[in-house]
């Protein structure tokens, strides 16, 4: 059996009871934290809280060499953990398909996602979100400014009067990233980049979703680019037109000046 467990958004307390039980019952537990990570905790605290040893795999250890996980799951009850909800990343879907092809039974224990948290914290209605996109660092995509694909996604959602959730780049354990430190794009960096193709556009920052002190700030992208929003992780939402209730929430909870 290979069970995929989403650990939720922030720290060792974010995992569901079902996820905690699956981890504690497993013979071996693997995890990756390069697609996202629990900013409010560390691996030692996570292990202490869950009462188990966790074998952390890097990107190559999941995408290029998943054999240790698959071989273990052929013989034992194995759990594979990620931050958020485990199947958001296609690399995890690939691992599940590899397991199924080898006759390994799989199941999923879901965790809270950044997408649902962004809707909840901002008051923007979930069914009005269109396609999401990820804004990469300029050095990561090899070009200047915002990739055409990101601009096209936001413009398409605007044409359909939908909100756009913009995930911000994370560079953790990436052998192609020159910075020796783990690097997280900030909402102010993202707003500065997006204010070029989208001047005078409302943006909504969500910082530290799932933590005891999440932050939600709404303003034009130009203004957001001049502000700081504290520790990661950050998200940015580009809203479509606002329903009166959505406007009320952003004015009341995020300081938006909605006309």
């Amino acid at each position: 059996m290979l069970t995929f467990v989403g650990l939720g958004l922030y720290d060792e307390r974010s995992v569901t009871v079902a996820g905690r039980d699956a981890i504690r019952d497993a013979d071996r537990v693997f995890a990756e934290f390069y697609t996202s990570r629990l900013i409010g905790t560390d691996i030692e605290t996570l292990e202490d809280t869950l009462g188990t040893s966790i074998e952390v795999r890097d990107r190559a250890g999941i995408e290029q060499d998943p054999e240790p996980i698959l071989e273990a799951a052929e013989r034992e009850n194995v759990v594979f953990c990620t931050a958020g909800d485990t199947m958001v990343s296609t690399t995890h879907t690939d691992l599940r398909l590899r397991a199924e092809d080898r006759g390994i039974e799989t199941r999923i224990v879901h965790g809270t996602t950044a997408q649902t948290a962004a809707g909840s914290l901002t008051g923007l209605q979930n069914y009005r979100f269109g396609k999401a996109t990820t804004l990469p660092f300029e050095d990561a995509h090899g070009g200047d400014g915002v990739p055409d694909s990101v601009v096209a996604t936001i413009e398409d959602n605007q044409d359909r009067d939908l909100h756009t959730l913009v995930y911000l780049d994370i560079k953790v354990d990436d052998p192609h990233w020159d910075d020796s430190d783990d690097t997280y794009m900030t909402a102010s960096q993202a707003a500065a980049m997006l204010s070029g193709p989208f001047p005078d556009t409302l943006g909504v920052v969500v910082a530290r979703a799932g933590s005891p002190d999440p932050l939600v700030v709404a303003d034009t992208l130009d203004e957001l680019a001049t502000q700081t929003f504290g520790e990661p992780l950050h998200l940015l939402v580009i809203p479509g037109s606002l329903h009166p209730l959505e406007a009320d929430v952003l004015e009341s909870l995020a300081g938006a000046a909605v006309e």
Side-chain angles (χ1 to χ4, degrees):
M1 167 76 80
L2 177 56
T3 302
F4 294 82
V5 175
L7 296 173
L9 291 177
Y10 184 68
D11 61 17
E12 70 279 1
R13 299 169 298 173
S14 300
V15 64
T16 65
V17 173
R20 179 201 64 191
D21 291 347
I23 292 168
R24 290 178 175 175
D25 291 342
D27 297 306
R28 291 179 71 179
V29 179
F30 295 88
E32 69 82 358
F33 296 109
Y34 62 85
T35 54
S36 187
R37 63 171 42 190
L38 303 177
I39 291 295
T41 192
D42 54 36
I43 190 66
E44 292 79 13
T45 303
L46 196 59
E47 289 178 323
D48 288 345
T49 301
L50 297 174
T52 191
S53 175
I54 299 175
E55 303 173 52
V56 179
R57 305 280 287 174
D58 60 13
R59 182 183 293 272
I62 300 298
E63 298 179 357
Q64 299 174 30
D65 183 26
E67 279 302 307
I69 299 173
L70 296 171
E71 289 177 358
E74 287 179 322
R75 305 185 306 269
E76 301 174 297
N77 180 18
V78 172
V79 163
F80 177 71
C81 301
T82 67
D85 187 31
T86 184
M87 284 299 154
V88 170
S89 174
T90 55
T91 188
H92 308 149
T93 304
D94 177 73
L95 182 61
R96 188 184 187 196
L97 290 175
R98 289 172 183 260
E100 291 285 346
D101 287 344
R102 291 167 68 147
I104 301 168
E105 184 180 356
T106 64
R107 70 186 181 107
I108 298 173
V109 181
H110 294 286
T112 306
T113 69
Q115 184 169 10
T116 56
S120 299
L121 288 168
T122 61
L124 297 174
Q125 296 166 7
N126 183 64
Y127 66 88
R128 294 197 58 221
F129 277 82
K131 178 182 176 181
T133 189
T134 298
L135 180 63
F137 289 106
E138 287 183 305
D139 290 345
H141 72 87
D144 296 325
V146 181
D148 292 342
S149 59
V150 175
V151 173
T153 296
I154 297 172
E155 288 179 340
D156 183 58
N157 285 338
Q158 288 179 328
D159 289 342
R160 294 188 293 150
D161 200 20
L162 299 174
H163 310 317
T164 305
L165 176 61
V166 183
Y167 295 104
L168 307 187
D169 205 357
I170 299 174
K171 293 301 179 189
V172 178
D173 298 328
D174 188 336
H176 305 294
W177 191 245
D178 292 334
D179 196 325
S180 60
D181 297 323
D182 295 342
T183 305
Y184 306 88
M185 181 181 288
T186 67
S188 54
Q189 288 175 304
M193 293 173 67
L194 290 171
S195 63
F198 300 101
D200 301 318
T201 297
L202 179 68
V204 186
V205 172
V206 178
R208 296 173 298 284
S211 76
D213 60 343
L215 178 69
V216 181
V217 178
D219 210 325
T220 63
L221 292 174
D222 288 322
E223 288 298 321
L224 294 175
T226 67
Q227 303 175 37
T228 57
F229 305 102
E231 294 297 311
L233 295 173
H234 297 176
L235 296 168
L236 187 64
V237 180
I238 309 297
S241 67
L242 299 174
H243 181 278
L245 182 59
E246 293 177 312
D248 287 345
V249 174
L250 288 182
E251 286 179 326
S252 176
L253 301 181
V258 181
E259 296 180 359

